[in-house]
Structures are given as structure tokens and as C-alpha cells.
Amino acid sequence: LIDRDGSVREWAYWRLEPQEELRFASGSECHDAFRHLLQQSIRRRTPALGRPALMLSGGIDSAAVAGAARHLDDASASPRLLTFSVVDEANCVETRNILEITRGHEDAAHYI
């Protein structure tokens, strides 16, 4: 933090907790463990009330979250995931990705 007078204060507001290294017998086992952790993370962060929403950028991170959240939506009676995306020209890679990811879910997709 830099104050108006130029003084600087530093502190850590979080700390990475060391964890045991995971080792898997196969790529398939690693894939299954990752999918489980991703879905568990989304389930824990999805509000119990209201519709969950995601800023879908067209990149791999938000696409993975959208895909995993939709899988959870299909397996439960919870509200469907809403997506919000900034789209550009149709020849933009991110826009093409967004349109592909939201195909079949257009009723829950919002384009800006």
C-alpha cells in the first residue's frame, strides 16, 4: 500500500499452504481427479439461492468452468448457469469460442 505521503506498507493477505504432491498411475486417473476437483470447487462456490453466473471470455479457464458447471446443472434440479460474454466480429477467435461453448444454451447466454 502506498499512502499519499509516499510511505509504503507491505503485508501478505494470503499464504499458499504446502500440500502433498499428487501422483497418478495414468493420464486417465489424473483426468478423473482433476474433473472431480473442478466440479467440487464449482459446487462449493455456486450460491444456493439464485442463478449462478459466469463471465465467459472464450478462453480455456472460463470454458472449463462453464462446461463443468453445465455438467452439474444437467445432474441436478438447480438453476441453469447464466453466461455473460463480450463478443466482437465473427472472425475473432474468442467470439467463435464463445458461440461454440454456448451452442445449445443460448437461452442462458448473454452477449454484449
Side-chain angles (χ1 to χ4, degrees), residues 2-111:
I2 301 174
D3 289 327
R4 290 178 191 255
D5 65 3
S7 62
V8 177
R9 292 182 286 155
E10 294 182 29
W11 70 92
Y13 61 91
W14 66 275
R15 181 178 61 234
L16 183 62
E17 297 293 331
Q19 296 187 3
E20 181 180 329
E21 182 177 343
L22 299 176
R23 297 196 179 264
F24 300 99
S26 67
S28 178
E29 186 179 306
C30 179
H31 174 267
D32 292 344
F34 176 79
R35 177 176 285 201
H36 172 75
L37 289 173
L38 180 61
Q39 289 175 341
Q40 183 180 49
S41 177
I42 292 167
R43 200 176 285 116
R44 288 180 178 172
R45 286 161 181 81
T46 302
L49 300 173
R51 289 183 78 176
L54 170 71
M55 174 61 187
L56 179 61
S57 68
I60 193 166
D61 297 343
S62 62
V65 171
R70 290 226 170 88
H71 178 76
L72 293 174
D73 270 355
D74 293 342
S76 72
S78 65
R80 292 189 61 202
L81 175 73
L82 297 172
T83 59
F84 295 85
S85 303
V86 177
V87 295
D88 199 356
E89 302 172 15
N91 62 352
C92 172
V93 172
E94 287 82 7
T95 296
R96 287 196 314 265
N97 290 346
I98 289 164
L99 296 175
E100 181 65 27
I101 293 162
T102 58
R103 183 180 306 150
H105 302 277
E106 289 86 354
D107 61 321
H110 299 81
Y111 308 111

